[in-house]
């Protein structure tokens, strides 16, 4: 490990100049030079009376101060949210030039992100905040840039495409248009400090809304820098508000500000509370206990092992769609799939951050969960299960080896308590492995559909009959099917989101943007002429 969370993998990179719009430098952040973030409200960057100290996940050093907005300081945010008109900042019948303006901002923002020093800036900043390997970090500005290219120029305008249907008499036409909600909220977690919050906040803007964005305050400096970049390329400073705060404070802002919609990415418990507090005005890209099934036709074994290792342990397992359970057909078990996974996982190291700190579970809690799983009848440790050694990761974070516990399929189906334990989402480098025989496919499907959340899944098989049966009887919102099936690394061109719940949200695609950030409005134009046979009769 090198200083400031920069890995050996990036040692050979020449540090490029910090972008002119940036207010931090990831390479020099330290307790001696605290970078102080700022809130943004109504176009003004503001401070708060108190600050949060951000702790370096690799050594426990307090290296940055950010605002700690209190409930007594939220009135400007409440007023901004309440005062945004329900018909939005723009819509197909008002301020239509803003569609073009936002398309140009996307073009120029993508050009900015294409600069090597800007890509490197965000990659280093992400690695400083959420220590993970350089390829994982650089993926975020890359995906964000490609997505912005997708929505450059006229593509924002096309999101608001209307449709018309002829009426039932001369002069009548019915037209369906997409309308914004007004003042809205975006709440995203720590694990993707740039991609999720940037895409959802811009998507809200595209459809005419005025968003207030809250990211986990430990990493929100990344979103602040992205918004400063957008200002640099022409986004009006009054379009987006940013707030550094804890969850209860944001909850108060949304309730008092009457947030017209909230896109929430995070835990199921918080999602349920928001649904009640906001009276259902939510879209959820919520947590997922994500599974992968290995079908009856093994092939490309080395590749499948590599992909399974990536899905379970890349970014230390802290991806919304990390592989939480691997369900292997007996043919895969006979090929030694578990042993091969063990060998692959053993190559991960703190030295290149292919394994690192877990930011939501501490080590003792992780080990306690592993021990509880091992007490399930028939369960056994496949590999891992030990704390990492030779590190300075603070005790408030987790530090464990990549781990897998084998749990019998029958045990999970026979006991609700065992099922709930085995399908607890541990947001870290941990997965459950189970196996099945060919005549147990119905039991596998029963297990998969009992899982509460249905975000991402993979079915690794080229057997068309098996794939069709599995796809037709499961409900995950994002599912990869085929021998290259994975659960993580969603690219910018496909829908990503859960399914099976009317509140399910999505990200990336035009369909996701319109679903989350606009509502349908029908206008029936009826110009006449009035029929000559009309006589004011009452029917």
């Amino acid at each position: 490990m090198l200083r400031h969370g920069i890995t050996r993998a990036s040692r050979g990179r020449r540090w490029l100049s910090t972008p002119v719009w940036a207010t931090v430098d990831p390479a020099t952040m330290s307790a001696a030079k605290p970078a102080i973030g700022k809130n943004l409200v109504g176009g003004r960057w503001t401070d708060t009376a108190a600050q949060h100290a951000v702790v370096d996940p690799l050594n426990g050093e307090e290296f940055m101060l950010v605002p700690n907005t209190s409930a007594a300081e939220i009135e400007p945010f409440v007023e901004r949210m309440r005062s945004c008109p329900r018909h939005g900042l723009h819509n197909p019948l008002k301020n239509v030039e803003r569609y073009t303006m936002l398309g140009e901002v996307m073009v120029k923002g993508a050009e900015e992100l294409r600069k090597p020093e800007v890509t490197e800036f965000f990659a280093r900043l992400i690695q400083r905040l959420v220590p993970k390997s350089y390829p994982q970090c650089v993926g975020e500005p890359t995906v964000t840039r490609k997505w912005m290219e997708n929505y450059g120029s006229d593509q924002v305008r096309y999101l608001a495409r209307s449709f018309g249907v002829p009426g039932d008499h001369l002069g009548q036409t019915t037209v369906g248009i997409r309308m914004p909600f007004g003042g809205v909220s975006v709440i995203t977690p720590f694990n993707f400090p740039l991609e999720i919050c940037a895409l959802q906040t811009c998507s809200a803007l595209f459809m005419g809304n005025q968003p207030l964005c809250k990211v986990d305050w430990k990493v929100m400096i990344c979103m602040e820098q992205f918004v400063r970049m957008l200002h640099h390329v022409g986004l009006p400073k009054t379009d987006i508000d940013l707030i550094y705060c804890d969850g209860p404070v944001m909850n108060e802002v949304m309730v008092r500000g009457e947030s017209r919609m909230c896109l929430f990415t995070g835990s199921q418990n918080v999602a349920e509370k928001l649904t009640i507090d906001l009276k259902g005005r939510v879209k959820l890209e919520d947590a997922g206990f994500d599974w992968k099934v290995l079908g009856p036709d093994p092939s490309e074994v080395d590749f499948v092992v590599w992909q399974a290792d990536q899905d379970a342990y890349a970014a230390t397992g802290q991806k919304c769609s990390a592989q939480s359970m691997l369900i292997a057909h007996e043919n895969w078990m006979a090929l030694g799939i578990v042993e091969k996974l063990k060998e692959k996982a053993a190559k991960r190291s703190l030295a290149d951050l292919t394994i690192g700190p877990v930011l939501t579970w501490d080590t003792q809690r992780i080990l306690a969960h592993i021990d509880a799983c091992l007490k399930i009848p028939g369960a056994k440790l496949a590999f891992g299960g030990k704390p990492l050694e030779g590190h300075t990761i603070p005790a408030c974070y987790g530090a464990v080896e990549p781990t897998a516990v084998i749990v019998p399929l029958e045990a999970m189906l026979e006991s609700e308590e065992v099922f709930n334990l085995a399908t607890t989402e541990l947001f870290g480098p941990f997965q459950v492995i189970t196996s099945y025989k060919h005549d147990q496919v119905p039991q596998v499907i029963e297990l998969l559909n009992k899982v509460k959340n249905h975000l991402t899944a993979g079915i690794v098989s080229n057997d068309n009959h098996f794939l069709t049966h599995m796809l037709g009887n499961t409900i995950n919102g994002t599912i990869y099917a085929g021998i290259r099936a994975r659960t993580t690394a969603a690219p910018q061109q496909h829908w990503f989101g859960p399914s099976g719940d009317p509140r399910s949200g999505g990200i990336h695609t035009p369909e996701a943007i319109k679903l989350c950030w606009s509502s349908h409005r029908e206008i029936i134009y009826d110009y006449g002429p009035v029929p000559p046979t009309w006589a004011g009769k009452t029917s």
Side-chain angles (χ1 to χ4, degrees):
M1 186 59 55
L2 305 181
R3 292 183 60 198
H4 308 310
I6 306 303
T7 67
R8 293 191 181 100
S10 59
R11 173 186 279 178
R13 298 181 177 275
R14 177 176 61 86
W15 294 133
L16 302 171
S17 59
T18 303
V20 295
W21 40 262
T23 59
V24 298
D25 183 348
T28 60
M29 286 181 177
S30 69
K33 296 181 178 180
I36 302 179
K38 290 183 180 291
N39 286 335
L40 176 63
V41 58
R44 295 177 55 248
W45 294 104
T46 63
D47 297 312
T48 53
Q51 288 81 39
H52 277 300
V54 180
V55 174
D56 190 321
L58 290 174
N59 58 28
E61 174 190 272
E62 294 182 355
F63 71 96
M64 181 174 61
L65 297 175
V66 296
N68 180 8
T69 309
S70 69
E73 298 172 301
I74 64 174
E75 194 58 38
F77 297 96
V78 171
E79 179 57 29
R80 278 273 292 171
M81 189 173 286
R82 289 177 65 94
S83 63
C84 181
R86 292 281 298 275
H87 42 80
L89 303 178
H90 60 270
N91 63 54
L93 300 172
K94 183 187 86 166
N95 297 336
V96 295
E97 65 280 356
R98 280 182 51 84
Y99 291 114
T100 304
M101 179 272 291
L102 290 172
E104 287 303 305
V105 169
M106 291 300 103
V107 169
K108 294 175 182 177
E111 290 175 355
E112 190 74 8
L113 273 174
R114 189 174 282 278
K115 296 176 181 177
E117 64 269 26
V118 177
T119 299
E120 185 79 351
F121 169 79
F122 280 111
R124 288 188 290 144
L125 183 57
I126 291 166
Q127 192 173 56
R128 193 75 174 88
L129 301 168
V130 188
K132 49 188 176 182
S133 68
Y134 186 83
Q136 292 290 322
C137 293
V138 81
E140 283 195 61
T142 301
V143 168
T144 302
R145 185 256 302 165
K146 289 182 177 180
W147 182 86
M148 294 172 75
E149 290 171 343
N150 288 346
Y151 294 99
S153 192
D154 282 332
Q155 298 307 312
V156 174
R157 172 164 43 193
Y158 291 159
L159 288 170
R161 188 191 301 271
S162 304
F163 67 86
V165 178
D168 56 14
H169 56 254
L170 184 63
Q172 186 186 78
T173 304
T174 179
V175 179
I177 65 174
R178 303 306 304 178
M179 288 290 289
F181 297 109
V184 298
S185 312
V186 177
I187 303 176
T188 63
F190 73 91
N191 55 331
F192 287 90
L194 176 62
E195 181 184 346
I196 300 176
C197 47
L199 271 56
Q200 291 290 12
T201 303
C202 289
S203 295
L205 268 183
F206 292 166
M207 302 313 295
N209 302 287
Q210 177 183 287
L212 169 61
C213 179
K214 175 203 175 297
V215 191
D216 187 314
W217 57 262
K218 295 185 290 294
V219 302
M220 187 160 167
I221 192 71
C222 190
M223 183 60 180
E224 178 186 325
Q225 299 304 298
F226 177 76
V227 170
R228 289 179 183 275
M229 184 195 79
L230 294 184
H231 293 167
H232 177 71
V233 298
L235 182 73
K237 290 185 177 180
T238 53
D239 272 19
I240 297 171
D241 291 341
L242 299 174
I243 185 169
Y244 288 81
C245 66
D246 291 316
V249 173
M250 183 64 176
N251 196 90
E252 182 74 9
V253 173
M254 291 188 294
V255 171
R256 287 181 51 197
E258 298 181 1
S259 179
R260 301 310 308 171
M261 216 291 285
C262 172
L263 186 286
F264 175 75
T265 304
S267 75
Q268 187 66 30
N269 290 338
V270 176
E272 297 300 336
K273 183 181 189 312
L274 286 175
T275 300
I276 295 171
D277 291 348
L278 298 181
K279 300 177 181 178
R281 299 190 301 270
V282 296
K283 285 294 182 183
L284 308 177
E285 219 190 338
D286 56 1
F289 184 89
D290 303 311
W291 50 264
K292 181 187 288 180
V293 171
L294 305 184
D297 53 328
S299 64
E300 304 294 343
V301 175
D302 290 341
F303 175 84
V304 171
V305 168
W306 173 84
Q307 186 65 69
D309 173 77
Q310 286 289 108
D311 289 341
Y313 304 122
T316 315
Q318 296 172 106
K319 290 189 174 185
C320 308
S321 53
Q323 177 179 298
S324 304
M325 179 177 287
L326 183 67
I327 304 148
H329 189 278
E330 59 184 342
N331 293 343
W332 283 94
M333 298 299 284
L335 289 174
I337 185 70
V338 176
E339 291 74 19
K340 293 178 184 294
L341 281 170
K342 178 180 179 179
E343 293 174 8
K344 195 70 177 175
K347 296 178 181 179
R348 294 186 170 273
S349 169
L350 267 172
D352 57 7
L353 288 181
T354 49
I355 195 72
V358 178
L359 302 190
T360 54
W361 288 51
D362 63 34
T363 300
Q364 293 307 311
R365 186 183 175 196
I366 294 172
L367 296 177
H369 180 72
I370 294 170
D371 289 341
C373 289
L374 289 173
K375 292 177 182 177
I376 295 171
K380 61 181 179 180
L381 185 69
F383 52 85
K386 298 178 182 178
L388 293 176
E389 297 179 349
H391 63 80
T392 56
I393 295 172
C396 61
Y397 297 135
V400 297
E401 297 175 345
T403 299
V405 171
I406 296 174
V407 178
L409 177 65
E410 296 80 4
M412 290 186 283
L413 291 176
E414 289 173 359
S415 165
E416 197 71 19
E417 182 181 356
V418 169
F419 172 81
N420 290 334
L421 175 61
T423 58
T424 296
E425 185 185 18
L426 195 171
F427 210 48
F430 173 82
Q431 66 175 323
V432 168
I433 298 177
T434 193
S435 63
Y436 67 102
K437 300 180 185 298
H438 204 68
D439 60 359
Q440 291 181 303
V441 171
Q443 287 92 329
V444 170
I445 292 173
E446 178 188 353
L447 175 74
L448 301 181
N449 288 336
K450 281 183 67 178
V451 176
K452 292 182 180 179
N453 303 309
H454 301 278
L455 182 57
T456 316
I459 304 173
V460 181
S461 174
N462 278 344
D463 181 330
N464 285 334
H465 295 294
F466 179 78
L467 283 175
T468 300
H469 182 69
M470 293 295 294
L471 291 170
N473 289 280
T474 54
I475 59 174
N476 284 59
T478 304
I479 190 161
Y480 298 83
I483 202 64
R484 294 189 62 175
R486 60 184 191 263
T487 67
T488 61
Q492 83 290 342
Q493 85 279 3
H494 80 221
W495 168 282
F496 182 81
S499 186
D501 189 322
R503 301 167 297 172
S504 295
I507 195 171
H508 295 156
T509 63
E511 293 78 15
I513 294 170
K514 286 183 277 190
L515 170 74
C516 289
W517 296 113
S518 69
S519 60
H520 181 90
R521 183 185 188 189
E522 194 79 3
I523 300 174
I524 299 91
Y525 291 102
D526 209 339
Y527 297 114
V530 174
T533 57
W534 177 83
K537 297 178 181 179
T538 301
S539 62

